[in-house]
Amino acid sequence: GGRGHRFNTFCLALSTVYLVWSIGAKLYVNDTVQHALARQNIAYQNVLTVPTPFNTVLWRVLVMDERGYYEGFYSLLDKDRNIRFNHYSSDKHLLAGPAGHWPVQRLQWFTHGFYSVQKRDRAIVFTDLRMGLEPTYFFQFKVAEMGNPHSVPTKSERIRVERGAERLHWIWK
């Protein structure tokens, strides 16, 4: 009856307010990021802004450029609109051999260009930068082996990584 209907109405109103808040926050953060990149003369190819886990107050900013990517964080509680970016290199030239293979092409498409390529020991590792925080990313794949043209796998081999739960404490702070 009445109590269930009121509860459903309250939950719908609450979720609508949260949705509107999230959209407004994202638009504000995107504007802040554009101004910060212009002030710092950072040339970029693509930008991704996502809220950090469990909140819409602290946002992670990922900026792709020709040499790699920048990672920065912006809180809606910050006193100013400055964002400090850290740059990390990506060796995309390592994909020259395996780039024509279906698993690598599928990963490039799936990440919408937000990926890095690193050499670890003899492995070429493809990392989806959208899920995780530097240096802990959830989706990393060995896509080839250095110096072995026949080592390109028919499927990408996922690398298991530590989840980095200790970073959640930092996000809360």
Side-chain angles (χ1 to χ4, degrees):
R3 190 164 41 166
H5 186 269
R6 283 193 302 273
F7 180 74
N8 285 343
T9 302
F10 172 77
C11 289
L12 180 61
L14 186 64
S15 65
T16 302
V17 167
Y18 180 78
L19 180 64
V20 170
W21 157 259
S22 298
I23 292 170
K26 183 166 180 67
L27 292 172
Y28 179 78
V29 169
N30 286 350
D31 184 63
T32 299
V33 168
Q34 293 301 323
H35 284 91
L37 292 171
R39 276 194 309 275
Q40 297 177 47
N41 293 318
I42 295 176
Y44 61 92
Q45 296 170 332
N46 217 346
V47 176
L48 177 70
T49 56
V50 292
T52 55
F54 311 115
N55 77 82
T56 54
V57 175
L58 179 64
W59 291 71
R60 177 176 179 251
V61 182
L62 186 60
V63 180
M64 305 303 296
D65 73 359
E66 290 181 3
R67 301 174 298 119
Y69 57 99
Y70 293 87
E71 182 184 57
F73 295 89
Y74 179 70
S75 170
L76 297 176
L77 303 177
D78 285 347
K79 291 180 175 58
D80 57 41
R81 296 181 78 184
N82 292 326
I83 301 174
R84 195 181 94 225
F85 292 101
N86 293 315
H87 190 268
Y88 303 93
S89 63
S90 175
D91 299 323
K92 291 188 179 181
H93 68 275
L94 293 173
L95 290 182
H101 295 272
W102 169 243
V104 174
Q105 291 176 340
R106 186 170 55 177
L107 286 169
Q108 289 173 314
W109 169 82
F110 180 74
T111 61
H112 301 284
F114 292 99
Y115 66 89
S116 74
V117 182
Q118 310 290 330
K119 185 177 97 164
R120 293 194 201 145
D121 297 323
R122 294 186 52 77
I124 298 174
V125 177
F126 184 106
T127 301
D128 184 342
L129 299 173
R130 300 169 305 162
M131 297 290 290
L133 306 169
E134 191 66 37
T136 307
Y137 292 100
F138 300 133
F139 300 110
Q140 299 183 355
F141 302 91
K142 176 182 174 182
V143 294
E145 192 172 305
M146 292 296 292
N148 185 352
H150 304 294
S151 70
V152 177
T154 54
K155 63 184 180 116
S156 298
E157 177 186 329
R158 177 141 181 233
I159 298 171
R160 297 286 172 199
V161 294
E162 296 297 320
R163 290 296 187 206
E166 69 280 354
R167 298 289 309 264
L168 293 178
H169 177 344
W170 172 84
I171 289 171
W172 180 252
K173 277 179 59 180

